Amino acid sequence: MDKIFIEEKRHVEKLKTFVKKTLSNLQEKLKAVGISNLDRLKELKTEGEFGPDFLMFLEQLHEKNASLNLKDKFKRLEELKYLFTQPYFARIDLKDKKHTQNIYIGKFGLSESGLSVTDWRAKIASVYYRYRYPQKDVYYDTPGGVERRDLLLKRTYEISDGELIKYYNNDIQLDENEIIIDRIGKKTGGVLEDIVETIQQSQMDIIESDPRQICIVQGCVGSGKSTVAIHKLAHIFFNYPNLIHSEKSIVVAKNQILVGYLSTLFPRLGIFDINYKTVREILVNLIFREQIQIKTDLDTRGNLKAFKLKDLKKLYVSLEKIHGSFEKKLSDIFKVTEFEPFGGYKYSTNMSPSENINEILTELEEELVNQKDELKELPTDSIKAYLCRENIKSLRKLVSKLSEMKNEIKTSGVPELAKSFGIDHKKSLNYAESILYVYIYLSLMGIQKHPTYEYCVVDEGQDFSPLEYAIMSKVILRGRFGIFGDLNQSLDPSGIEKWEDLFDIIKEARSSIRFELSTNYRSTRPIIEFARKILAPFTEDFMPESINRMGPEPSVKLVKTNDEIFNEFVSDIKKDAKKLDKSIGVICYDNLLFDRVSNELKKIIKNEGQLVILDSGTRVNYIPKGVYVMNTLNSKGLEFSKVYVLGLNPDKITDFEEARKAFVVTTRAMNELVIYGVGEHEKTNRKD
């Protein structure tokens, strides 16, 4: 047997022994929490992975057992369980002038004298991702500056259930796409999976980029945008623990389907307490927490498309004028002889007019207390006492004037500015109108009670309107956004037109960096070529490049009617239902088929847990082996091993909007794609 294999196998066993011991010790400590509580945690986790109920119960336990630091211990417990089955996936040997380090890299770190695993997020681990083969003078960043080493060995392992299966050394002859193809070939789809073992350099550039600036990623379909986004969060929390915290960060997605889909990956990367919401949920929280007195009908979408970037810029100009007006009003007040001694405050346009007044009022209230305290110590008939009494009178007048000015902002300033943009706050406001009104309210009044998030990831960023980005920017600290999307997958007519627009919208952003991902890692080459042909008549931009993973040609079946589409599909899906060993996406391109197909599949899929019907307003539990039913919009961002598209005729696409829809649904497929459409012939089985 290979001597190196035997040595590596022993190393795995040593680590497993250590992990087992550490795990046992930690479990003993957790018994202090109580067996019933731990059983409840297990039950909640089984019901829905790490859903809201689980996190709420964990938070309650954490508060009761603060000295035990329960949240960190539970997180470590999950990490150790993973490390027991797969302690590491790679090794690099680095040599400086005197020493050689053997560095094993895993999903989570582990350290014991003479025995350690380096977390994939550590700076030194970036050498594994950035250099394809052993070479001299490689470098990596550290807090103390750039370190240079010679890379003597780059080795990758396949470990399953704690057993070393094989290893291979990466050298210049190795095509690393083969590793990726092998890994993708084992995926069933239906759930997001981590990519810590196969992160590419272009993806690592995004993951490691400075989170203190806005990061915009234009990623072609299947390039791993969403997965990279979540890995970036994991990397941030590891490397910037004092600057950005997971519980104070947020992931924003277009609907509950994507929110739930993305959230399945967090715990597998050691993230248990991040926030994830839709813009609608942020809006509801703002209205409630800031006690904004408006009536809303958020289920009525309104015309977001009508409020374009030029309208937002017009609003910004109006707000600048209002700032100028209040700066002058305040300046004029303190020019009055009576109030001049209490001046000296500098107006800040980084705060709302109301917040500026609040700052002044706070200082004046403090001064009022000081004057009253001083008056108590002075002889009643002294000159100083007289001056104190005069100061108190002036301060009270000043406080009254400023309080009245602040109140007028709320009662008349906000409604008047809203009215100039067509919003009547006395009526019930739809979703679009509510966002605009709340944005105006916050711009003039500021945020008092709603949390400000330290970092925000936006998924499917092309589908958010300028107004939605504007309201998001109100609750994100200093414009710290990671925005991931693909303009070729724009299905929302109100979405931004180009990424450059974001620089005009997110005013708080200090600086920015742009990335582009052009390689599709999801679909087979025949599926990608088919999808490219759909877009080709309308654009050449941001086309996906295949990694040359082969598979069957997409099948297009054209029939006369929707009834025939339904019958053909039912016949085919019954064959799949006999052995559901992968994820299958059923996309009703024609919405008229959705209810009929959903009802029929309830009869065909015997195990109801293996049938998931996607609704944009509901979060679901995602499974790797099952059938998902959805319409076109709800398919965004998801992937399935096999996809059926019902009601699409690729030959009848006449405009870019329709092409984008067809492009989105066909590229959900990883391995197999079957399309049914209404065409001229009774039945064809065409392969492009």
Side-chain angles (χ1 to χ4, degrees), residues 29 37 61 66 80 92 154 158 216 237 298 338 359 368 404 440 444 452 555 574 582 669:
K29 290 179 183 177
N37 285 329
L61 284 180
L80 288 167
I92 52 175
K154 179 178 178 181
E158 184 177 326
I216 299 172
F237 302 147
L298 301 183
E338 182 181 2
E359 289 277 317
L368 194 55
E404 186 179 336
I440 289 171
L444 296 182
T452 300
S555 173
K574 281 181 177 177
K582 56 183 175 286

Side-chain angles (χ1 to χ4, degrees), residues 294-313:
I294 53 172
K295 292 181 287 185
T296 62
D297 175 17
L298 301 183
D299 291 329
T300 301
R301 185 166 173 77
N303 193 359
L304 271 174
K305 185 180 179 182
F307 197 86
K308 298 182 182 295
L309 179 57
K310 64 179 178 62
D311 300 301
L312 190 59
K313 287 181 176 179

Side-chain angles (χ1 to χ4, degrees), residues 321-373:
K321 288 179 180 177
I322 290 171
H323 272 297
S325 169
F326 275 96
E327 187 173 8
K328 186 176 185 307
K329 283 180 184 178
L330 291 170
S331 175
D332 289 346
I333 286 174
F334 286 106
K335 284 178 182 176
V336 175
T337 305
E338 182 181 2
F339 303 138
E340 196 172 5
F342 309 108
Y345 178 84
K346 187 164 178 61
Y347 189 92
S348 171
T349 54
N350 291 326
M351 296 190 296
S352 68
S354 180
E355 287 171 314
N356 273 280
I357 295 172
N358 267 342
E359 289 277 317
I360 300 172
L361 284 171
T362 299
E363 290 183 10
L364 293 178
E365 294 286 0
E366 287 178 6
E367 182 60 26
L368 194 55
V369 170
N370 291 339
Q371 292 287 338
K372 287 178 180 178
D373 289 343

Side-chain angles (χ1 to χ4, degrees), residues 250-284:
I250 186 170
V251 175
V252 179
K254 196 65 180 172
N255 56 41
Q256 292 292 350
I257 291 172
L258 274 177
V259 166
Y261 185 65
L262 297 172
S263 69
T264 61
L265 183 51
F266 294 132
R268 277 173 274 169
L269 289 173
I271 304 171
F272 299 99
D273 50 2
I274 194 169
N275 302 279
Y276 33 90
K277 300 182 186 296
T278 61
V279 174
R280 186 185 190 278
E281 288 174 311
I282 292 173
L283 182 63
V284 169

Side-chain angles (χ1 to χ4, degrees), residues 384-608:
K384 280 191 174 182
Y386 170 77
L387 291 173
C388 271
R389 283 192 289 271
E390 289 301 305
N391 284 340
I392 289 170
K393 285 181 187 176
S394 298
L395 282 166
R396 283 174 174 163
K397 280 187 194 176
L398 192 49
V399 166
S400 177
K401 273 182 175 293
L402 293 177
S403 297
E404 186 179 336
M405 186 188 297
K406 178 186 165 187
N407 189 53
E408 284 176 1
I409 296 173
K410 188 174 184 178
T411 56
S412 58
V414 173
E416 284 173 12
L417 182 56
K419 189 175 181 180
S420 71
F421 284 88
I423 305 296
D424 183 354
H425 75 290
K426 294 180 181 179
K427 295 181 179 179
S428 182
L429 305 183
N430 60 38
Y431 176 72
E433 292 167 338
S434 298
I435 293 180
L436 181 53
Y437 187 87
V438 171
Y439 183 82
I440 289 171
Y441 182 95
L442 299 178
S443 296
L444 296 182
M445 296 298 298
I447 296 178
Q448 305 300 320
K449 296 180 180 178
H450 191 282
T452 300
Y453 298 108
E454 295 172 344
Y455 195 80
C456 174
V457 157
V458 180
D459 191 53
E460 299 293 340
Q462 74 282 349
D463 283 335
F464 291 87
S465 69
L467 201 49
E468 287 173 310
Y469 273 113
I471 199 72
M472 279 191 271
S473 71
K474 282 294 181 187
V475 296
I476 308 302
L477 184 67
R478 299 191 186 95
R480 291 179 189 161
F481 281 91
I483 297 171
F484 296 74
D486 178 13
L487 294 174
N488 278 340
Q489 297 184 70
S490 297
L491 298 190
D492 192 322
S494 67
I496 58 169
E497 295 180 6
K498 55 185 185 296
W499 296 120
E500 289 76 15
D501 290 348
L502 292 171
F503 306 135
D504 292 320
I505 299 168
I506 303 173
K507 293 290 188 181
E508 296 79 6
R510 297 293 187 265
S511 58
S512 63
I513 185 166
R514 283 274 305 272
F515 296 97
E516 185 172 336
L517 297 173
S518 57
T519 302
N520 177 288
Y521 298 104
R522 173 191 297 150
S523 308
T524 62
R525 181 173 179 174
I527 292 171
I528 290 302
E529 289 180 348
F530 182 91
R532 284 172 63 101
K533 287 177 184 175
I534 291 173
L535 278 188
F538 307 98
T539 185
E540 295 179 356
D541 296 334
F542 312 131
M543 286 289 203
E545 299 295 335
S546 169
I547 58 169
N548 209 27
R549 188 167 69 88
M550 300 312 297
E553 294 287 332
S555 173
V556 180
K557 302 180 180 183
L558 299 181
V559 294
K560 283 185 175 180
T561 64
N562 271 359
D563 284 342
E564 291 184 54
I565 287 176
F566 177 79
N567 292 333
E568 286 277 343
F569 163 70
V570 168
S571 175
D572 289 342
I573 195 70
K574 281 181 177 177
K575 299 170 188 172
D576 291 315
K578 290 177 182 177
K579 186 183 179 183
L580 274 176
D581 57 356
K582 56 183 175 286
S583 64
I584 298 175
V586 180
I587 304 174
C588 297
Y589 194 83
D590 185 335
N591 288 332
L592 295 174
L593 289 164
F594 182 79
D595 289 339
R596 188 178 179 187
V597 166
S598 299
N599 291 331
E600 187 64 25
L601 283 171
K602 289 175 184 177
K603 302 173 189 174
I604 295 171
I605 309 301
K606 302 301 180 186
N607 181 352
E608 64 178 24

